């Protein structure tokens, strides 16, 4: 059995065990990712910046949580800032424990 057939059988078995659940707010999520995709296509300038490795680690971790590339997250934050739509959280978000553990090991 080839790899694709095995994967298809696993997916079908999972579906038959009723493990699949509807995605809440599917239309808004589709719209969000469509906006991200179209925004990424409209970029025509390149910028190089230097940031701390700690900040980059945190940005990459946050992007992974959001399931988007970290460069897309950075561009989105900058875009929201320059358009006045960047909203600060009520309380500062603590740095992830994963990032702190990673730094301890390094």
């Amino acid at each position: 059995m080839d790899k694709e057939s095995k994967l298809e059988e696993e997916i079908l078995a999972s579906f038959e065990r009723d493990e699949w659940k509807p995605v809440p707010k599917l239309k808004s999520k589709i719209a969000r990712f469509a906006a991200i995709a179209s925004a990424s296509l409209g970029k025509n300038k390149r910028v190089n910046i230097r940031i701390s490795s700690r900040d980059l680690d945190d940005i990459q971790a946050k992007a992974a949580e959001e399931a988007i590339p970290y460069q897309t997250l950075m561009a989105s934050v900058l875009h929201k800032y320059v358009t006045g739509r960047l909203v600060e959280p009520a309380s500062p978000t603590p740095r992830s424990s994963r990032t702190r553990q990673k730094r301890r090991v390094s």
Side-chain angles (χ1 to χ4, degrees):
M1 177 180 308
D2 66 353
K3 199 173 188 177
E4 286 87 17
S5 296
K6 185 176 180 182
L7 178 60
E8 288 173 0
E9 284 187 11
E10 289 174 11
I11 291 170
L12 182 58
S14 172
F15 179 78
E16 289 172 346
R17 289 189 303 266
D18 200 29
E19 295 175 343
W20 292 58
K21 304 295 177 207
V23 175
K25 301 178 183 177
L26 179 62
K27 287 185 180 181
S28 66
K29 287 188 180 190
I30 289 173
R32 175 178 171 243
F33 289 117
I36 290 169
S38 68
S40 68
L41 296 174
K43 296 175 183 151
N44 60 359
K45 295 287 184 180
R46 181 183 195 105
V47 176
N48 293 318
I49 62 171
R50 297 184 72 75
I51 63 172
S52 73
S53 58
R54 182 178 180 180
D55 287 342
L56 181 59
D57 288 344
D58 290 345
I59 288 168
Q60 289 173 328
K62 182 61 84 174
E65 289 173 16
E66 298 292 324
I68 60 174
Y70 74 94
Q71 299 96 331
T72 302
L73 176 62
M74 292 173 73
S76 174
V77 169
L78 287 169
H79 176 74
K80 288 177 182 177
Y81 177 77
V82 299
T83 59
R85 294 186 297 134
L86 185 64
V87 178
E88 292 189 37
S91 62
T93 305
R95 294 191 182 266
S96 71
S97 59
R98 181 189 128 302
T99 304
R100 281 195 296 267
Q101 290 171 353
K102 183 177 174 184
R103 278 194 216 98
R104 281 188 215 135
V105 172
S106 300

